[in-house]
């Protein structure tokens, strides 16, 4: 039976040849040709027959097929029109798959989840993401506050490490804070290039993001908090004070910045990469009070 899976080099090649399909690099098309890797991902994602699955970019259906076998139902978004007729053919044996022809960045996933899945059903997003838009896709999905329990995604190894990084590491930055504000992030496996057709130019990892019930820190204003975090990392080698002076140059003088840091009990000579999320939250709330409310 396993030789019949779409996710084998032989079957993938047959499908591509039969349809005269040529990969579009611009759409990040690197298809998986190893069913064991897919099953491992699906198991780690927490997929079972009680759960619903959302996929982004089904390609020719390698992961979609495995999701259909293990989940109650699958909905997948595919942007490339040429793949629709291929998917119709390759996924014929399954009656629990819905393909939506849409750019994921334009999709109302929340609405889809409400209309396509059972009320209260745990929903997991599982995808081998197109690498050229990994960050915009994940940030949109996290900001949209979707009724999705977890996101298990194959992405570029370096981006996965940045999203999961903690303080005092070279990968830790504003992306780590943005992702970890909404989720618990964990790199669950590294994946060799040879399981893709064609092999990508970069190394890949699977990242699992589990949505938090509520953020781990309380901030007065989320936009203000994320802006400050980004500003503190703007020039990684500079001190917090220097980065903050730049950020607030229109609204605060240098003394106000020093006073704010003192009030937040954070040494002004520290660099952003040494601050925990709690410290960033305290810093942002302190400056919010000083700059926005004058207290
Ligand atoms: N899931 C398949 C697999 O693992 O073999 C294919 C993964 S491939 C890395 C990425 C897929 O995402 C391609 O099918 C591509 O056409 C699709 N894609 C690219 N940009 C997209 C977008 N903005 N919205 C939806 N799908 C997109």
């Amino acid at each position: 039976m396993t030789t019949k899976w779409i996710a084998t080099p032989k079957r993938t090649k047959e499908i591509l040849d039969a349809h005269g399909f040529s990969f579009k690099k611009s759409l990040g098309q690197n298809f998986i040709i190893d069913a064991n890797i897919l099953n491992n991902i699906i198991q780690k994602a927490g997929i079972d027959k009680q759960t619903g699955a959302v996929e982004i970019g089904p390609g020719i259906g390698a992961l979609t097929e495995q999701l259909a076998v293990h989940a109650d139902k699958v909905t997948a978004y595919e942007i490339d029109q040429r793949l629709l007729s291929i998917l119709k053919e390759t996924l014929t044996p399954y009656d629990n798959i819905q393909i939506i022809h849409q750019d994921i960045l334009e999709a109302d996933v929340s609405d889809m989840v409400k209309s396509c899945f059972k009320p209260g059903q745990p929903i997991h997003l599982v995808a081998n993401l197109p690498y050229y838009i990994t960050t915009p896709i994940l940030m949109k999905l996290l900001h949209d506050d979707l009724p999705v329990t977890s996101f298990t995604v194959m992405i570029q190894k370096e981006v996965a490490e940045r999203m999961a990084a903690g303080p005092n590491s070279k990968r830790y930055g504003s992306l780590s804070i943005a992702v970890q504000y909404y989720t618990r992030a964990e790199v669950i496996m590294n994946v060799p290039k040879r399981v893709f057709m064609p092999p990508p130019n970069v190394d890949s990892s699977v990242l699992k993001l589990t949505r938090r019930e509520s953020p781990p820190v309380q901030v007065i204003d989320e936009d203000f908090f994320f802006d400050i975090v980004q500003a503190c990392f703007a020039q990684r080698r500079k001190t917090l004070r220097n980065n903050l002076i730049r950020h607030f140059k229109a609204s605060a003088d240098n003394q106000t910045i020093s006073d704010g840091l003192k009030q937040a009990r954070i040494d002004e000579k520290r660099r952003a990469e040494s601050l925990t999320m709690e410290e960033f939250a305290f810093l942002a709330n302190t400056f919010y009070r000083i700059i926005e409310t004058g207290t």
Side-chain angles (χ1 to χ4, degrees):
M1 177 67 182
T2 42
T3 53
K4 294 215 177 107
W5 295 132
I6 298 167
T8 61
K10 187 165 177 275
R11 177 97 196 275
T12 299
K13 204 164 174 313
E14 277 168 13
I15 294 167
L16 298 177
D17 289 349
H19 293 268
F21 184 84
S22 52
F23 294 103
K24 267 197 188 154
K25 238 183 158 177
S26 61
L27 289 179
Q29 293 179 334
N30 301 94
F31 299 164
I32 299 214
I33 50 169
D34 185 324
N36 290 331
I37 293 268
L38 294 176
N39 277 310
N40 212 343
I41 294 171
I42 286 172
Q43 198 203 341
K44 295 225 161 80
I47 294 282
D48 61 31
K49 278 291 167 192
Q50 315 309 316
T51 61
V54 177
E55 186 190 359
I56 296 162
I60 59 169
L63 172 59
T64 328
E65 172 177 58
Q66 301 299 329
L67 287 169
V69 170
H70 292 95
D72 175 36
K73 198 179 162 194
V74 189
T75 297
Y77 290 91
E78 176 55 62
I79 198 172
D80 188 347
Q81 165 104 43
R82 301 171 307 154
L83 289 166
L84 302 184
S85 53
I86 303 182
L87 285 164
K88 209 165 178 197
E89 193 184 298
T90 59
L91 299 176
T92 304
Y94 307 96
D95 62 1
N96 59 345
I97 299 173
Q98 179 191 19
I99 305 289
I100 301 177
H101 178 215
Q102 196 176 17
D103 179 345
I104 185 63
L105 294 178
E106 317 239 297
D108 187 336
V109 183
S110 207
D111 219 40
M112 179 282 290
V113 169
K114 277 183 215 128
S115 62
C116 292
F117 294 97
K118 296 173 188 149
Q121 183 170 38
I123 309 295
H124 299 285
L125 186 138
V126 186
N128 170 19
L129 288 179
Y131 292 180
Y132 74 109
I133 45 166
T134 299
T135 304
I137 291 178
L138 286 175
M139 291 325 294
K140 171 195 152 70
L141 297 174
L142 296 179
H143 275 299
D144 281 358
D145 195 19
L146 302 177
V148 170
T149 311
S150 73
F151 306 78
T152 304
V153 287
M154 174 98 72
I155 61 177
Q156 191 178 336
K157 182 167 183 263
E158 191 206 310
V159 180
E161 285 172 359
R162 282 169 53 204
M163 289 184 173
N168 297 313
S169 66
K170 75 172 196 297
R171 299 266 194 240
Y172 183 58
S174 53
L175 188 61
S176 327
I177 300 279
V179 167
Q180 291 168 40
Y181 182 78
Y182 299 105
T183 66
R184 286 175 215 286
E186 190 192 353
V187 178
I188 54 177
M189 66 173 110
N190 295 324
V191 180
K193 289 180 182 165
R194 67 181 143 77
V195 305
F196 298 88
M197 187 184 287
N201 297 325
V202 293
D203 290 324
S204 305
S205 295
V206 178
L207 177 76
K208 181 168 184 184
L209 303 175
T210 308
R211 197 172 255 298
R212 296 178 189 274
E213 294 277 314
S214 56
V217 293
Q218 284 197 327
V219 297
I220 302 171
D221 182 304
E222 284 185 355
D223 290 339
F224 190 90
F225 167 68
F226 288 124
D227 282 351
I228 276 220
V229 172
Q230 206 144 28
C232 289
F233 280 106
Q235 291 184 285
R236 287 182 78 90
R237 290 152 66 102
K238 295 218 160 155
T239 61
L240 283 176
R241 181 173 180 273
N242 282 344
N243 277 319
L244 288 170
I245 285 174
R246 246 180 92 153
H247 181 58
F248 287 120
K249 64 180 178 297
S251 46
D253 59 21
N254 296 5
Q255 191 54 48
T256 308
I257 302 297
S258 290
D259 291 347
L261 280 159
K262 211 170 269 167
Q263 213 173 308
R265 293 192 293 278
I266 294 175
D267 184 337
E268 61 177 33
K269 292 204 186 70
R270 282 175 68 185
R271 298 202 170 103
E273 72 177 40
S274 75
L275 263 64
T276 61
M277 187 163 353
E278 288 71 24
E279 288 179 307
F280 274 120
F282 198 57
L283 183 72
N285 289 343
T286 304
F287 274 97
Y288 185 85
R289 289 194 194 94
I290 294 172
I291 308 264
E292 300 290 320
T293 65
T295 55

mmCIF file of all heavy atoms in Angstrom, residues 86-103:
data_model
loop_
_atom_site.group_PDB
_atom_site.id
_atom_site.type_symbol
_atom_site.label_atom_id
_atom_site.label_comp_id
_atom_site.label_asym_id
_atom_site.label_seq_id
_atom_site.Cartn_x
_atom_site.Cartn_y
_atom_site.Cartn_z
ATOM 1 N N ILE A 86 -4.950 18.542 -10.985
ATOM 2 C CA ILE A 86 -4.075 17.441 -10.531
ATOM 3 C C ILE A 86 -4.577 16.908 -9.186
ATOM 4 O O ILE A 86 -4.708 15.699 -8.982
ATOM 5 C CB ILE A 86 -2.601 17.915 -10.415
ATOM 6 C CG1 ILE A 86 -2.112 18.473 -11.761
ATOM 7 C CG2 ILE A 86 -1.712 16.783 -9.908
ATOM 8 C CD1 ILE A 86 -0.660 18.914 -11.779
ATOM 9 N N LEU A 87 -4.883 17.842 -8.281
ATOM 10 C CA LEU A 87 -5.354 17.435 -6.946
ATOM 11 C C LEU A 87 -6.665 16.650 -7.039
ATOM 12 O O LEU A 87 -6.890 15.692 -6.301
ATOM 13 C CB LEU A 87 -5.556 18.680 -6.065
ATOM 14 C CG LEU A 87 -4.265 19.323 -5.536
ATOM 15 C CD1 LEU A 87 -4.534 20.732 -5.016
ATOM 16 C CD2 LEU A 87 -3.654 18.460 -4.419
ATOM 17 N N LYS A 88 -7.529 17.095 -7.955
ATOM 18 C CA LYS A 88 -8.812 16.410 -8.125
ATOM 19 C C LYS A 88 -8.570 14.940 -8.445
ATOM 20 O O LYS A 88 -9.243 14.052 -7.916
ATOM 21 C CB LYS A 88 -9.572 17.083 -9.274
ATOM 22 C CG LYS A 88 -11.038 16.980 -9.123
ATOM 23 C CD LYS A 88 -11.767 17.928 -10.022
ATOM 24 C CE LYS A 88 -13.243 17.657 -9.765
ATOM 25 N NZ LYS A 88 -14.109 18.149 -10.732
ATOM 26 N N GLU A 89 -7.553 14.711 -9.265
ATOM 27 C CA GLU A 89 -7.244 13.340 -9.671
ATOM 28 C C GLU A 89 -6.521 12.569 -8.549
ATOM 29 O O GLU A 89 -6.937 11.476 -8.175
ATOM 30 C CB GLU A 89 -6.354 13.421 -10.907
ATOM 31 C CG GLU A 89 -6.189 12.118 -11.627
ATOM 32 C CD GLU A 89 -5.203 12.305 -12.781
ATOM 33 O OE1 GLU A 89 -5.482 13.101 -13.694
ATOM 34 O OE2 GLU A 89 -4.135 11.654 -12.730
ATOM 35 N N THR A 90 -5.460 13.175 -8.002
ATOM 36 C CA THR A 90 -4.659 12.421 -7.018
ATOM 37 C C THR A 90 -5.435 12.143 -5.729
ATOM 38 O O THR A 90 -5.172 11.145 -5.054
ATOM 39 C CB THR A 90 -3.352 13.156 -6.648
ATOM 40 O OG1 THR A 90 -3.681 14.448 -6.115
ATOM 41 C CG2 THR A 90 -2.441 13.328 -7.843
ATOM 42 N N LEU A 91 -6.370 13.024 -5.387
ATOM 43 C CA LEU A 91 -7.079 12.851 -4.109
ATOM 44 C C LEU A 91 -8.458 12.206 -4.275
ATOM 45 O O LEU A 91 -9.252 12.175 -3.323
ATOM 46 C CB LEU A 91 -7.187 14.214 -3.390
ATOM 47 C CG LEU A 91 -5.832 14.865 -3.044
ATOM 48 C CD1 LEU A 91 -6.022 16.248 -2.438
ATOM 49 C CD2 LEU A 91 -5.009 13.984 -2.088
ATOM 50 N N THR A 92 -8.732 11.666 -5.463
ATOM 51 C CA THR A 92 -10.024 11.013 -5.734
ATOM 52 C C THR A 92 -10.434 9.973 -4.676
ATOM 53 O O THR A 92 -11.598 9.923 -4.294
ATOM 54 C CB THR A 92 -10.000 10.301 -7.119
ATOM 55 O OG1 THR A 92 -9.653 11.273 -8.078
ATOM 56 C CG2 THR A 92 -11.342 9.686 -7.471
ATOM 57 N N PRO A 93 -9.493 9.169 -4.153
ATOM 58 C CA PRO A 93 -9.923 8.146 -3.193
ATOM 59 C C PRO A 93 -10.471 8.700 -1.867
ATOM 60 O O PRO A 93 -10.993 7.927 -1.075
ATOM 61 C CB PRO A 93 -8.636 7.347 -2.915
ATOM 62 C CG PRO A 93 -7.696 7.700 -3.999
ATOM 63 C CD PRO A 93 -8.068 9.063 -4.466
ATOM 64 N N TYR A 94 -10.330 9.988 -1.619
ATOM 65 C CA TYR A 94 -10.702 10.519 -0.295
ATOM 66 C C TYR A 94 -11.924 11.429 -0.403
ATOM 67 O O TYR A 94 -12.001 12.270 -1.302
ATOM 68 C CB TYR A 94 -9.511 11.288 0.317
ATOM 69 C CG TYR A 94 -8.264 10.435 0.313
ATOM 70 C CD1 TYR A 94 -7.330 10.539 -0.723
ATOM 71 C CD2 TYR A 94 -8.057 9.467 1.286
ATOM 72 C CE1 TYR A 94 -6.215 9.716 -0.768
ATOM 73 C CE2 TYR A 94 -6.944 8.638 1.248
ATOM 74 C CZ TYR A 94 -6.029 8.761 0.224
ATOM 75 O OH TYR A 94 -4.937 7.936 0.185
ATOM 76 N N ASP A 95 -12.869 11.269 0.544
ATOM 77 C CA ASP A 95 -14.080 12.098 0.479
ATOM 78 C C ASP A 95 -14.141 13.113 1.625
ATOM 79 O O ASP A 95 -15.178 13.678 1.909
ATOM 80 C CB ASP A 95 -15.328 11.207 0.492
ATOM 81 C CG ASP A 95 -15.417 10.401 1.792
ATOM 82 O OD1 ASP A 95 -14.530 10.557 2.663
ATOM 83 O OD2 ASP A 95 -16.372 9.620 1.930
ATOM 84 N N ASN A 96 -13.001 13.296 2.301
ATOM 85 C CA ASN A 96 -13.006 14.228 3.444
ATOM 86 C C ASN A 96 -12.038 15.396 3.232
ATOM 87 O O ASN A 96 -11.463 15.919 4.180
ATOM 88 C CB ASN A 96 -12.670 13.475 4.748
ATOM 89 C CG ASN A 96 -11.315 12.782 4.696
ATOM 90 O OD1 ASN A 96 -10.738 12.614 3.625
ATOM 91 N ND2 ASN A 96 -10.801 12.391 5.853
ATOM 92 N N ILE A 97 -11.866 15.771 1.955
ATOM 93 C CA ILE A 97 -10.922 16.870 1.645
ATOM 94 C C ILE A 97 -11.655 17.960 0.878
ATOM 95 O O ILE A 97 -12.419 17.681 -0.047
ATOM 96 C CB ILE A 97 -9.761 16.365 0.758
ATOM 97 C CG1 ILE A 97 -8.971 15.267 1.471
ATOM 98 C CG2 ILE A 97 -8.834 17.528 0.369
ATOM 99 C CD1 ILE A 97 -7.912 14.595 0.601
ATOM 100 N N GLN A 98 -11.378 19.204 1.272
ATOM 101 C CA GLN A 98 -11.911 20.341 0.524
ATOM 102 C C GLN A 98 -10.729 21.217 0.100
ATOM 103 O O GLN A 98 -9.885 21.557 0.938
ATOM 104 C CB GLN A 98 -12.840 21.138 1.446
ATOM 105 C CG GLN A 98 -13.429 22.346 0.794
ATOM 106 C CD GLN A 98 -14.124 23.262 1.812
ATOM 107 O OE1 GLN A 98 -13.878 23.187 3.016
ATOM 108 N NE2 GLN A 98 -14.964 24.139 1.313
ATOM 109 N N ILE A 99 -10.646 21.515 -1.194
ATOM 110 C CA ILE A 99 -9.560 22.390 -1.663
ATOM 111 C C ILE A 99 -10.153 23.765 -1.970
ATOM 112 O O ILE A 99 -11.172 23.869 -2.667
ATOM 113 C CB ILE A 99 -8.910 21.838 -2.960
ATOM 114 C CG1 ILE A 99 -8.414 20.391 -2.770
ATOM 115 C CG2 ILE A 99 -7.777 22.760 -3.446
ATOM 116 C CD1 ILE A 99 -7.197 20.205 -1.896
ATOM 117 N N ILE A 100 -9.518 24.806 -1.451
ATOM 118 C CA ILE A 100 -9.968 26.174 -1.740
ATOM 119 C C ILE A 100 -8.894 26.838 -2.587
ATOM 120 O O ILE A 100 -7.718 26.868 -2.198
ATOM 121 C CB ILE A 100 -10.197 26.968 -0.430
ATOM 122 C CG1 ILE A 100 -11.255 26.269 0.429
ATOM 123 C CG2 ILE A 100 -10.597 28.409 -0.736
ATOM 124 C CD1 ILE A 100 -11.502 26.936 1.783
ATOM 125 N N HIS A 101 -9.308 27.336 -3.756
ATOM 126 C CA HIS A 101 -8.341 27.999 -4.639
ATOM 127 C C HIS A 101 -8.234 29.462 -4.226
ATOM 128 O O HIS A 101 -9.038 30.299 -4.649
ATOM 129 C CB HIS A 101 -8.827 27.876 -6.096
ATOM 130 C CG HIS A 101 -7.925 28.567 -7.066
ATOM 131 N ND1 HIS A 101 -8.382 29.198 -8.195
ATOM 132 C CD2 HIS A 101 -6.582 28.736 -7.073
ATOM 133 C CE1 HIS A 101 -7.357 29.719 -8.841
ATOM 134 N NE2 HIS A 101 -6.265 29.461 -8.189
ATOM 135 N N GLN A 102 -7.264 29.770 -3.367
ATOM 136 C CA GLN A 102 -7.135 31.143 -2.862
ATOM 137 C C GLN A 102 -5.728 31.380 -2.303
ATOM 138 O O GLN A 102 -5.081 30.436 -1.811
ATOM 139 C CB GLN A 102 -8.166 31.366 -1.738
ATOM 140 C CG GLN A 102 -8.395 32.820 -1.408
ATOM 141 C CD GLN A 102 -9.495 33.012 -0.368
ATOM 142 O OE1 GLN A 102 -9.884 32.099 0.342
ATOM 143 N NE2 GLN A 102 -9.979 34.236 -0.276
ATOM 144 N N ASP A 103 -5.308 32.622 -2.386
ATOM 145 C CA ASP A 103 -4.071 33.050 -1.740
ATOM 146 C C ASP A 103 -4.343 33.056 -0.230
ATOM 147 O O ASP A 103 -5.271 33.747 0.219
ATOM 148 C CB ASP A 103 -3.725 34.463 -2.248
ATOM 149 C CG ASP A 103 -2.476 35.027 -1.620
ATOM 150 O OD1 ASP A 103 -2.013 34.484 -0.598
ATOM 151 O OD2 ASP A 103 -1.972 36.040 -2.149
#
